[in-house]
Amino acid sequence: MESISFMRKHRNLFLLIAVIVVVAIWKPHAAIYGLQRGSLYSLVGLPLSLTLGVVGIMNLAHGDFLSLGIYFVYLFATNLGMDPLVSIIPVFFLLFGLGVVIYKLTITRVMKSGHLNQLLLTFGISMILLEAMNVIWTSRPRSVYVEYSSSSTTIAGVRFGTYELLYVVFAFAVLIALQLFLKKTRLGQATFAVGQNPQGAKIVGINTGFVYLFVFGISIAILGIAAGVMVPRFAIFPSVGSAFTMKSFCLVAMAGLGNLTGILVSGIVLGVGEAIVQSIPGYAGWSDIVFFGVLIAVIMIRSLRRQSL
Amino acid sequence: MKITKSLVIIMLLIAAALLPVVTEAYFISVAITILTFMTLSISWDMMLRTGQLSFGTAGFFGLGGYTGIIAVADFGVDPLVGIILGGLLAGGVSLLLGMAILRLRGLYFAITTMALASVFMVIIRNLNKLTGGPSGKIVYTTLFNYDSVKVYWLMLGITVGTIVVSEVFQRTRVHFAIDSIRADETVAKSHGVNIYKYLIFVFVVTSIIQGVIGSTYALQYGFVYPESSFSAHYLLLPIAMALVGGIYSTIGPVLGAIILGLSSEYLKLIMPYGHLIIYGVIIVVVVLFLPNGVYGAIKDVTGFRKRRLEER
């Protein structure tokens, strides 16, 4: 009995490992690149899941906060000569402060209005951020070079970049940290409670306003971690993060609200799927369809299953 | 009251139709852009009235544009026929898709439509032979040979047509069906409203409008390009306009399109770089302080005054 419930509890995780093993035998490159890229998607998607699950806000400016974090890392690297991975620490706190300020100024006022107004508000914020970055730093692509970012290694005849494995490490680290925070700390348990039932949480004396504020801030701050890891391998321009907004939404929809582990699983599955399509000669351009195709399929299957019940 | 209202509408129509006579080419092109977004905004709001938030506006807009350009470039049809084809294709595609996705609700419908719009773009970017792929497609026989006054009148006609359709929806039994779906779906269902049929009907009609306006817009310049034809601007600006003006009405999107369209054009003149920042600030301020939009605020104020007069 014990073992069955264990299997069932971690069904997604086993599924994920099985998928990666099968792909690794069939197309080793696709498996490794997919794992790396998928982890990055999940690293960016995790905080969005947190805001959507707990605060209930669809943050359309998610990707633009990521771009902003990337520019902060860039500034630290060029002005202070700071290593991008080290600058994660100051950028984390900078973004946390920014998130708190933006929440206090705007989001807190639309908490009670409908979804539409919240969407439009974050759309406005996204526009302000994107255009401000365009004005300050222009659309000229920039980059930060660090020596270790282009290292690579060969395992069993498959050559791949080792730096990108950091995405995997960070994605797992952030996921585990978030889970520990939600389960072990008082604030985390309060956050979990607010996510489950805001009204009930209020009745038992949880300061929901503070939880919202904190979760929004920490979500933006986690983007600073993603920004720090991304900078050595990405060209830096104002709309670099925009594509991540939609992809993060895809992950949240696939995983379901409040399912943090699911974000990592679906992120990696989609990353691997993308890498497989990209590895077919002549069809690399179709890889974007994977995300949306899988998303639509998952949503349709879910809704049909719900109807049959 | 009724006579003054219709008089005002007729005056406004005449003024709009005579606009090209009194203004210069620059203002006509601004007006064409505003009308384009106004139509998109109204069509988006029409779908919203059923309670379904659609993010597929840009998808059908781009689809219509590509159909129009391909019809003119590869099959040599007249641009006007190309516009009709653009609308028909968008309508047909939306009928097929709508049968599947209109069973979804809320956030799931919204995200699926957003994903579908991206799927359209990926497909079009990869069908190199037909669509020109990532570099886009150019056609040399444009709408009325770049005669922007005629384009303006055509655009105005489409916009007025859309307004009429929207008002018809507001005044006939369609309106009651739609409102009842938005208010409480289960009750609507149990009273014999065929929700699914009405949702598909509204979805197809709004998609046709979006396809028509998309192909008109594309054929006016004679070129399509994946990133610009499916740009998120054709999704987000109409939404912003509807919300600024006030949703769930025809006049709201119209007002919003005029306010945001003119102010963005003016901001473009006084600050060529970064005018969109101010535009974003306007949206944020409107959401925070005028949550019912401008039309809603006007209604609130006049309603308040009326109530006070009655109390006296």
Side-chain angles (χ1 to χ4, degrees):
Chain A
M1 282 301 277
E2 282 262 306
S3 68
I4 290 174
S5 69
F6 178 79
M7 289 282 280
R8 201 168 278 166
K9 202 173 164 194
H10 297 279
R11 197 176 53 185
N12 286 342
L13 224 65
F14 286 117
L15 202 75
L16 174 70
I17 294 166
V19 166
I20 292 177
V21 167
V22 169
V23 176
I25 295 164
W26 177 39
K27 275 184 195 282
H29 275 283
I32 291 168
Y33 288 133
L35 179 68
Q36 292 169 340
R37 199 175 325 152
S39 304
L40 183 61
Y41 292 149
S42 346
L43 184 55
V44 180
L46 277 171
L48 189 83
S49 170
L50 207 60
T51 21
L52 203 55
V54 177
V55 192
I57 293 272
M58 277 257 258
N59 185 6
L60 284 179
H62 192 69
D64 302 296
F65 279 113
L66 177 66
S67 308
L68 194 66
I70 289 175
Y71 271 107
F72 283 164
V73 174
Y74 166 81
L75 285 185
F76 275 112
T78 47
N79 294 342
L80 302 174
M82 206 183 257
D83 188 282
L85 292 179
V86 179
S87 64
I88 283 178
I89 298 159
V91 170
F92 184 88
F93 288 106
L94 263 177
L95 284 181
F96 183 79
L98 186 75
V100 166
V101 168
I102 286 184
Y103 180 86
K104 269 281 168 202
L105 282 179
T106 59
I107 311 270
T108 180
R109 292 165 202 265
V110 295
M111 286 301 289
K112 288 205 178 73
S113 35
H115 264 300
L116 264 169
N117 276 357
Q118 297 171 349
L119 273 182
L120 192 71
L121 177 74
T122 54
F123 164 57
I125 295 173
S126 144
M127 210 155 173
I128 295 172
L129 286 178
L130 185 66
E131 290 309 313
M133 286 187 283
N134 252 323
V135 169
I136 299 172
W137 289 294
T138 71
S139 52
R140 183 170 68 85
R142 293 145 201 266
S143 62
V144 173
Y145 177 74
V146 286
E147 257 172 49
Y148 53 79
S149 74
S150 48
S151 63
S152 66
T153 187
T154 311
I155 294 178
V158 183
R159 196 173 173 78
F160 60 93
T162 39
Y163 177 79
E164 283 91 338
L165 287 177
L166 269 184
Y167 300 157
V168 187
V169 174
F170 271 87
F172 273 94
V174 168
L175 175 67
I176 291 167
L178 277 178
Q179 298 281 28
L180 282 179
F181 162 72
L182 287 175
K183 298 243 163 69
K184 301 285 175 201
T185 63
R186 261 186 89 77
L187 185 59
Q189 284 165 343
T191 306
F192 196 72
V194 173
Q196 293 279 312
N197 185 345
Q199 231 110 42
K202 216 172 198 168
I203 288 169
V204 298
I206 294 172
N207 184 351
T208 47
F210 179 74
V211 168
Y212 291 145
L213 175 78
F214 179 77
V215 168
F216 193 81
I218 208 82
S219 301
I220 307 283
I222 292 172
L223 288 176
I225 302 178
V229 220
M230 277 171 75
V231 160
R233 295 292 292 170
F234 275 76
I236 303 165
F237 52 96
S239 57
V240 60
S242 304
F244 282 90
T245 310
M246 189 61 205
K247 289 194 166 162
S248 304
F249 281 144
C250 288
L251 294 188
V252 176
M254 262 188 83
L257 278 183
N259 180 357
L260 293 181
T261 321
I263 298 275
L264 191 67
V265 174
S266 37
I268 291 175
V269 167
L270 289 186
V272 171
E274 248 188 26
I276 291 173
V277 175
Q278 244 161 19
S279 70
I280 305 169
Y283 286 89
W286 291 96
S287 68
D288 289 335
I289 225 166
V290 170
F291 245 90
F292 304 116
V294 171
L295 171 78
I296 293 169
V298 166
I299 289 180
M300 294 309 298
I301 290 168
R302 274 206 182 158
S303 77
L304 287 180
R305 200 187 283 161
R306 199 176 47 207
Q307 262 178 0
S308 67
L309 278 172
Chain B
M1 190 65 194
K2 211 157 193 188
I3 297 169
T4 43
K5 212 174 183 180
S6 41
L7 260 178
V8 168
I9 292 171
I10 291 168
M11 297 262 278
L12 279 177
L13 269 180
I14 292 173
L18 289 180
L19 193 73
V21 183
V22 289
T23 52
E24 54 198 313
Y26 164 67
F27 195 78
I28 294 174
S29 81
V30 173
I32 289 175
T33 314
I34 291 178
L35 287 177
T36 306
F37 283 110
M38 192 186 285
T39 316
L40 284 175
S41 186
I42 297 168
S43 72
W44 176 81
D45 188 72
M46 280 162 73
M47 192 65 213
L48 186 75
R49 285 174 213 158
T50 64
Q52 294 282 60
L53 170 59
S54 166
F55 279 136
T57 315
F60 291 108
F61 180 86
L63 211 59
Y66 263 95
T67 315
I69 294 281
I70 289 168
V72 174
D74 294 346
F75 301 99
V77 302
D78 189 81
L80 283 173
V81 181
I83 291 174
I84 296 168
L85 287 176
L88 286 180
L89 189 96
V93 170
S94 70
L95 179 66
L96 290 178
L97 292 175
M99 295 205 295
I101 64 173
L102 281 167
R103 299 199 180 280
L104 305 171
R105 293 291 175 269
L107 189 63
Y108 288 103
F109 177 79
I111 287 189
T112 309
T113 50
M114 199 189 256
L116 276 176
S118 310
V119 168
F120 291 163
M121 188 175 96
V122 175
I123 292 174
I124 276 177
R125 207 168 48 200
N126 285 290
L127 291 176
N128 288 9
K129 272 191 193 137
L130 189 64
T131 63
S135 49
K137 193 165 184 129
I138 298 173
V139 68
Y140 295 102
T141 42
T142 57
L143 199 56
F144 305 121
N145 276 322
Y146 300 108
D147 185 345
S148 60
V149 176
K150 281 183 186 159
V151 173
Y152 170 78
W153 279 328
L154 179 68
M155 228 31 145
L156 187 67
I158 295 172
T159 310
V160 171
T162 309
I163 291 174
V164 168
V165 171
S166 164
E167 276 301 297
V168 166
F169 274 24
Q170 286 285 65
R171 279 151 209 264
T172 54
R173 50 186 295 152
V174 183
H175 161 68
F176 296 114
I178 289 169
D179 268 11
S180 68
I181 298 171
R182 189 177 82 221
D184 192 328
E185 212 181 296
T186 325
V187 173
K189 219 184 230 166
S190 59
H191 279 71
V193 179
N194 190 341
I195 294 170
Y196 187 54
K197 192 183 80 184
Y198 275 110
L199 283 180
I200 290 186
F201 176 65
V202 177
F203 190 56
V204 170
V205 168
T206 55
S207 302
I208 290 176
I209 293 171
Q210 286 152 11
V212 163
I213 204 75
S215 51
T216 315
Y217 194 76
L219 281 167
Q220 165 201 354
Y221 299 112
F223 109 111
V224 276
Y225 172 70
E227 265 72 29
S228 70
S229 295
F230 289 96
S231 162
H233 275 208
Y234 299 114
L235 164 67
L236 296 169
L237 296 191
I239 296 181
M241 286 163 176
L243 273 139
V244 166
I247 47 175
Y248 304 141
S249 65
T250 310
I251 200 159
V254 172
L255 272 179
I258 293 172
I259 294 170
L260 282 191
L262 285 180
S263 55
S264 82
E265 207 58 39
Y266 178 68
L267 288 171
K268 219 183 271 176
L269 289 180
I270 54 171
M271 48 188 294
Y273 296 103
H275 62 272
L276 282 173
I277 297 181
I278 313 246
Y279 197 40
V281 172
I282 292 177
I283 293 175
V284 169
V285 167
V286 165
V287 171
L288 290 182
F289 300 107
L290 287 175
N292 293 326
V294 174
Y295 179 58
I298 293 172
K299 258 202 318 206
D300 286 350
V301 170
T302 50
F304 181 67
R305 204 178 282 158
K306 248 184 215 162
R307 245 179 287 132
R308 273 221 329 220
L309 282 176
E310 277 163 17
E311 272 166 24
R312 275 181 200 170

